[in-house]
């Protein structure tokens, strides 16, 4: 069910241009296979709300909380991210999340873990059009390989529903394989020391 009283007016508050879509393209840098959403009604639905900017108002795709109003996302990236801004589109009702808590580089957090202090916290406003952006502390979120998003409460509903989460920022490819390559190249490679006569023989066999 789409948000009540939905209109496209709010979109005008955001600069509608190809650049806007590019700015919110970090969804493509998420390791979706390992993304976790805790307390979702439908398994795997949490992954679906990280989608292209032009699909943000597709209200047929959403995640809804199960046992209570809490939702928790563990979001690994395929490299390092400088996170600059976040958009949260929810229902125009009391099921819209009212608070968002962010934790940096703490993989596989649970509801027990989020009792600790977050790296940043926001009081959210009802936004069913994607017209509001929450700016992060860039110094804090300048090198993020894993982001945890905790939505502890909503505006009074029995469950929380989210249609879209947009992440804006810069992406840098990870360099985790550099050491492996160096170690490999440090070993003697027998093929580099082939006897030319051996190669001649192999050609003759072929």
């Amino acid at each position: 069910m789409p948000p009540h009283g939905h209109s496209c007016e709010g979109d005008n508050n955001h600069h509608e241009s190809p650049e806007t879509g590019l700015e919110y393209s970090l969804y493509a840098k998420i390791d979706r296979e390992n993304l976790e959403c805790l307390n979702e009604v439908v398994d795997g639905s949490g992954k679906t709300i990280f989608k292209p900017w032009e699909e943000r108002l597709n209200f047929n795709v959403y995640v809804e909380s199960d046992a209570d109003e809490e939702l928790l996302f563990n979001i690994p990236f395929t490299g390092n991210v400088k996170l600059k801004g976040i958009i949260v589109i929810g229902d125009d009702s009391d099921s819209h999340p009212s608070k968002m808590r962010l934790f940096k580089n703490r993989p596989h957090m649970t509801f027990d873990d989020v009792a600790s202090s977050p790296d940043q916290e926001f009081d959210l406003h009802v936004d069913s059009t994607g017209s509001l952006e929450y700016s992060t502390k860039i110094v804090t979120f300048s090198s993020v390989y894993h982001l945890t998003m905790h939505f502890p409460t909503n505006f009074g509903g029995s469950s929380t529903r989210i249609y879209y989460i947009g992440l804006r920022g810069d992406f840098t490819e990870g360099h985790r394989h550099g050491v492996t390559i160096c170690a490999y190249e440090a070993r003697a490679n027998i093929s580099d020391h082939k006897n030319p006569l051996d190669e001649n023989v192999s050609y003759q066999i072929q």
Side-chain angles (χ1 to χ4, degrees):
M1 183 176 179
H4 306 298
H6 163 68
S7 72
C8 294
E9 272 183 27
D11 294 350
N12 295 329
N13 295 331
H14 249 291
H15 300 294
E16 286 302 309
S17 67
E19 286 73 23
T20 302
L22 290 174
E23 287 179 351
Y24 286 92
S25 63
L26 286 181
Y27 75 92
K29 306 303 182 181
I30 293 172
D31 180 2
R32 288 170 60 88
E33 185 176 338
N34 292 303
L35 186 152
E36 301 173 324
C37 179
L38 305 186
N39 197 38
E40 56 187 357
V41 172
V42 179
D43 287 344
S45 58
K47 299 179 181 182
T48 65
I49 65 171
F50 297 90
K51 51 192 175 183
W53 172 256
E54 57 271 18
E55 296 178 23
R56 68 196 182 285
L57 300 181
N58 176 6
F59 300 117
N60 294 318
V61 177
Y62 59 88
V63 62
E64 188 166 5
S65 64
D66 189 6
D68 52 29
E69 71 274 23
E70 286 191 82
L71 282 169
L72 179 65
F73 296 86
N74 282 308
I75 308 163
F77 295 100
T78 57
N80 291 315
V81 166
K82 179 187 288 185
L83 186 63
K84 298 179 178 178
I86 299 173
I87 285 177
V88 179
I89 296 179
D91 212 42
D92 187 11
S93 70
D94 57 9
S95 71
H96 193 292
S98 60
K99 192 176 291 289
M100 174 174 65
R101 307 170 75 237
L102 305 180
F103 299 84
K104 168 190 171 182
N105 298 342
R106 293 178 59 182
H108 307 298
M109 292 186 74
T110 67
F111 287 112
D112 291 332
D113 299 323
V114 294
S116 59
S117 298
D119 291 294
Q120 193 167 359
E121 186 169 2
F122 299 90
D123 290 317
L124 304 182
H125 301 277
V126 173
D127 182 11
S128 60
T129 60
S131 60
L132 300 175
E133 180 186 272
Y134 301 92
S135 298
T136 60
K137 302 172 185 174
I138 296 180
V139 173
T140 302
F141 294 93
S142 62
S143 183
V144 182
Y145 61 83
H146 185 282
L147 177 68
T148 299
M149 306 181 74
H150 178 217
F151 297 91
T153 59
N154 58 27
F155 288 96
S158 58
S159 64
T160 296
R161 183 179 289 196
I162 301 175
Y163 294 98
Y164 171 81
I165 293 178
L167 304 175
R168 180 175 68 84
D170 301 324
F171 176 80
T172 305
E173 294 285 352
H175 299 289
R176 297 175 183 175
H177 300 295
V179 175
T180 305
I181 293 172
C182 292
Y184 175 80
E185 290 180 346
R187 297 190 186 102
N189 191 339
I190 296 175
S191 63
D192 292 340
H193 304 282
K194 276 184 178 179
N195 187 326
L197 295 177
D198 293 339
E199 290 196 8
N200 292 336
V201 172
S202 64
Y203 285 124
Q204 290 172 5
I205 292 173
Q206 290 179 0

